[in-house]
Amino acid sequence: GARPSINQVDFHYSRNSNDLIQNLNGQAWLLLMQFETSDRFGNDEKVNGAYLADRNFQQDAGARRSRISFDNPINAFPEDFYAEAAKLSEAVFVGRLDAPEWHVQVFSRSGFLTPKLIMEASGQGTGEIVLPFKIKAGGGARFFVSITYRGTLQSDLLGFAVPAPEQPVPMGLSITTYNKPGYVRHNLEIIRSSNAYKAGLIDLLIVNNGDAIQGLPEDIEVMHPGNVGGTGGFSAGAAHFRDKGRRHFVIMDDDIVLLTDMVDRFFALSCFARGMHIGSLAEIENTPRRLVKEQGANVSPQHTFGLELVHPMIDIHGWFKDQIYDFREVDYSGWWALMVDLTTAPKSGVPAFYFIKRDDITFGFESRLAGTPTVVFPNLIVAHSEEGAASYFYYDVRNDLVMRARNNTHLGISIRGIAQELATKFMTYKLDEQRMFNQALSDFMSGPKQLEAQPVSVTLGKVRKLAGTRIPLPEDSPVISSDEVVSTRRMALAWLRPSSWRAPDPLPLVPEGHRACVTEIGGYIQMLPFSEKGIAHHRSMANIWSFLRGIALLGRLAITRGKIVARYQEGQK
């Protein structure tokens, strides 16, 4: 049967077309997306799913015919997204083919339903193809291409396009980086090889928070603002491109891997999209599985620290991949790769003291309140590293509370929810996170002026001392896990049993989130997701003292919550 492959001896896609605008059949076409033939992001452990190939599709009087299908997230055309976000009503499939015989079909498909043939064309030898199809908002389909051929198929152009605008306008692109030169150099190669960049339509900026990167091309503008974090990098990029009169700019993390057509797809969207931010779906890089981190998310109004992720951990090539084609507006998309509409986004931005974490969430949420939602396209995919610093936990907690205070009309700060979080950290004896949680509560209650006055480096140094030390996972430790739902009451009772204070030797490994496994043992190693490292936790009296301090802080917050919220909202005026 059909299976993914990247080594089809009878299909050669050279993709030598280096023009953003293609002239076919006497008309100029702007490429919305060219087909990718590998979506593994350079990771040989990942299975390529860019196309499906069947070498023995059809036998006819001894002549073998092959078929390739591009029905997959990276190469299918998502109807609603281009109709709703780009306001397009028609698109075309364009291609240049060469084979003894070939037959191209464009299909429309909704979910798992049987594909519906829309357009087709046949030929022999070399041919140029333009196959138009109508799209509409609310159609809910994806369009994909299937090619049947005899012999060897060669091509240098396969993709979807629309009539080209008369004067394309340059788009900004900013990378914020902190000591990840390998990622930056790799992505710069992809960006600079894009058709849009070669056409002079990508205005590129690097905001370097860390050490100087050796070997950068001389024509790239680089800022060195010091370590201002992801928040400062975003603000610097937004201000830079506003000053230059750009309507759109793409903010990118430095720990992502791009596919070859990503920049051109963003640029094509910048020619049409208005009044919304365009986000990218993030696949988790450091695992061979094709898992989605999220396709955007919404902020939970009542559950403090609560986020409602769209399609987390769905297999991008699994049975449920069709769900990612459902169009929706979301509160935010991560800054791993997000195209921002600078003309409609709030100009107030995110406070510099955020430094990192929840800045993308706050920006997206407040943008949506101001009338600029975020839409996350399923054919804009990056691979995102999940190796974050332990100190990020502090910023997640503190900045979520700040976001809720800034937008308290729409988002609540739940005392009960904070208490449950405190109790969970206490009863799983994560002393490092208990201490960071307490520090986050204390700093949040100090108010925006105090946070603005304290140098970022001072806060970061303080938090790093509280963060747990990551250690390599021991090879001789057993792994225990359980999906059992454990009540807070049961976990509290475990604290009272003397036997449960004894730590096993060696310490067992417990996957993140499996708190049922730690109710009867006095120590364990928390396995960090998508990593070969962990953090050791032990029951101790320090857990108790830290918990009591957290309760005292929480009591103070309950009494002064109204005044604290007023101070943050006053700071926005």
Side-chain angles (χ1 to χ4, degrees):
R3 63 184 60 188
S5 174
I6 61 168
N7 296 310
Q8 299 300 314
V9 296
D10 52 1
F11 172 47
H12 301 284
Y13 184 43
S14 59
R15 193 170 173 166
N16 292 326
S17 173
N18 292 320
D19 294 323
L20 189 70
I21 296 176
Q22 297 290 317
N23 292 293
L24 297 171
N25 291 357
Q27 184 167 349
W29 302 98
L30 171 69
L31 290 170
L32 293 176
M33 49 185 289
Q34 289 197 69
F35 289 177
E36 300 275 7
T37 55
S38 175
D39 65 350
R40 297 188 300 175
F41 300 98
N43 184 346
D44 291 338
E45 292 185 335
K46 291 182 181 291
V47 175
N48 179 42
Y51 63 93
L52 296 175
D54 190 339
R55 294 181 181 227
N56 299 292
F57 167 64
Q58 183 178 335
Q59 296 281 350
D60 183 11
R64 180 178 63 82
R65 286 175 171 80
S66 301
R67 180 175 66 178
I68 54 176
S69 170
F70 295 93
D71 182 15
N72 54 73
I74 200 66
N75 287 324
F77 182 97
E79 178 181 29
D80 277 352
F81 288 84
Y82 282 99
E84 294 268 12
K87 305 302 180 187
L88 298 175
S89 58
E90 185 176 15
V92 297
F93 166 72
V94 294
R96 281 192 292 266
L97 305 174
D98 185 13
E101 293 180 12
W102 49 262
H103 182 64
V104 177
Q105 296 172 299
V106 178
F107 291 94
S108 170
R109 188 176 193 182
S110 297
F112 289 106
L113 299 180
T114 302
K116 178 182 178 182
L117 180 62
I118 303 298
M119 296 288 293
E120 59 185 335
S122 298
Q124 297 179 344
T126 302
E128 292 187 346
I129 307 168
V130 177
L131 297 177
F133 53 93
K134 299 287 186 181
I135 61 176
K136 63 180 180 180
R142 64 185 183 273
F143 293 86
F144 71 93
V145 173
S146 177
I147 305 176
T148 304
Y149 58 95
R150 182 174 61 83
T152 297
L153 173 66
Q154 300 186 70
S155 173
D156 71 345
L157 174 65
L158 296 169
F160 294 107
V162 290
E166 292 185 6
Q167 291 185 324
V169 177
M171 177 187 77
L173 191 156
S174 177
I175 300 175
T176 302
T177 182
Y178 180 77
N179 295 341
K180 290 188 174 65
Y183 279 104
V184 173
R185 281 193 285 261
H186 176 75
N187 285 331
L188 281 177
E189 290 181 9
I190 294 175
I191 293 167
R192 287 166 55 84
S193 68
S194 69
N195 294 339
Y197 186 88
K198 291 178 179 179
L201 294 169
I202 300 298
D203 190 352
L204 184 57
L205 171 71
I206 294 179
V207 182
N208 187 359
N209 292 339
D211 299 333
I213 302 174
Q214 303 300 318
L216 290 181
E218 294 181 358
D219 61 337
I220 296 177
E221 187 169 0
V222 182
M223 287 185 181
H224 293 277
N227 190 7
V228 294
T231 308
F234 174 84
S235 298
H240 174 82
F241 291 118
R242 274 199 179 102
D243 289 345
K244 299 185 76 169
R246 304 292 182 227
R247 179 177 188 116
H248 293 98
F249 93 105
V250 175
I251 179 71
M252 284 188 180
D253 279 348
D254 65 351
D255 56 352
I256 61 171
V257 182
L258 301 176
L259 295 177
T260 55
D261 200 41
M262 171 64 87
V263 175
D264 287 336
R265 294 186 187 195
F266 266 128
F267 176 78
L269 283 167
S270 77
C271 296
F272 303 102
R274 298 292 183 268
M276 63 179 59
H277 308 315
I278 305 297
S280 56
L281 183 154
E283 177 180 334
I284 297 173
E285 178 202 7
N286 40 317
T287 174
R289 296 185 62 192
R290 309 307 304 269
L291 298 178
V292 173
K293 177 180 173 65
E294 65 182 61
Q295 190 181 357
N298 295 308
V299 181
S300 177
Q302 299 301 327
H303 295 88
T304 306
F305 317 119
L307 301 175
E308 299 163 358
L309 306 183
V310 177
H311 301 141
M313 298 302 165
I314 192 173
D315 188 331
I316 204 169
H317 293 305
W319 285 104
F320 300 103
K321 69 177 186 300
D322 303 286
Q323 298 175 11
I324 70 174
Y325 297 105
D326 296 336
F327 180 87
R328 62 177 57 78
E329 295 178 351
V330 294
D331 285 343
Y332 77 94
S333 179
W335 283 351
W336 38 77
L338 174 74
M339 187 175 77
V340 176
D341 190 327
L342 289 169
T343 65
T344 60
K347 292 183 173 57
S348 57
V350 182
F353 64 71
Y354 265 58
F355 186 67
I356 197 167
K357 305 301 290 184
R358 306 274 166 156
D359 40 11
D360 50 358
I361 301 173
T362 300
F363 172 77
F365 184 83
E366 294 180 357
S367 287
R368 192 175 190 182
L369 289 181
T372 304
T374 297
V375 175
V376 183
F377 272 58
N379 66 333
L380 298 176
I381 306 175
V382 302
H384 181 257
S385 171
E386 288 301 289
E387 294 183 3
S391 57
Y392 286 0
F393 178 75
Y394 161 86
Y395 292 99
D396 259 328
V397 173
R398 188 200 65 182
N399 293 345
D400 186 89
L401 294 171
V402 173
M403 175 184 65
R404 291 175 181 276
R406 284 166 59 93
N407 302 281
N408 197 244
T409 304
H410 306 277
L411 300 175
I413 298 177
S414 169
I415 301 299
R416 179 178 180 181
I418 298 174
Q420 289 176 335
E421 190 71 19
L422 278 170
T424 298
K425 301 302 179 189
F426 164 58
M427 288 182 286
T428 53
Y429 29 99
K430 295 180 179 178
L431 182 60
D432 55 335
E433 293 189 7
Q434 283 183 263
R435 288 171 169 167
M436 284 190 286
F437 198 101
N438 290 346
Q439 189 66 55
L441 276 177
S442 177
D443 288 352
F444 163 68
M445 288 189 289
S446 70
K449 292 183 179 180
Q450 181 65 28
L451 291 177
E452 291 166 0
Q454 181 165 276
V456 168
S457 59
V458 173
T459 304
L460 183 59
K462 177 174 58 178
V463 174
R464 282 175 171 168
K465 292 179 181 179
L466 301 176
T469 301
R470 299 186 173 192
I471 60 174
L473 297 179
E475 296 182 359
D476 59 344
S477 294
V479 178
I480 58 175
S481 62
S482 171
D483 294 327
E484 180 186 0
V485 178
V486 180
S487 68
T488 303
R489 179 176 177 273
R490 176 180 161 187
M491 295 184 73
L493 289 174
W495 267 91
L496 302 177
R497 298 192 189 99
S499 60
S500 65
W501 280 67
R502 289 193 292 270
D505 185 20
L507 290 178
L509 307 180
V510 177
E512 175 68 29
H514 289 246
R515 67 178 195 171
C517 308
V518 304
T519 57
E520 306 295 338
I521 56 178
Y524 68 99
I525 297 176
Q526 169 196 353
M527 300 172 66
L528 300 177
F530 314 109
S531 172
E532 295 300 320
K533 294 183 179 181
I535 300 177
H537 300 290
H538 298 84
R539 294 188 188 215
S540 69
M541 293 301 296
N543 295 129
I544 298 175
W545 300 124
S546 184
F547 178 64
L548 293 176
R549 179 171 183 262
I551 293 298
L553 288 168
L554 186 57
R556 180 179 147 210
L557 174 61
I559 296 171
T560 61
R561 177 172 45 181
K563 293 181 179 180
I564 293 172
V565 166
R567 289 158 67 187
Y568 281 98
Q569 294 189 343
E570 179 64 28
Q572 285 186 275
K573 296 179 182 179

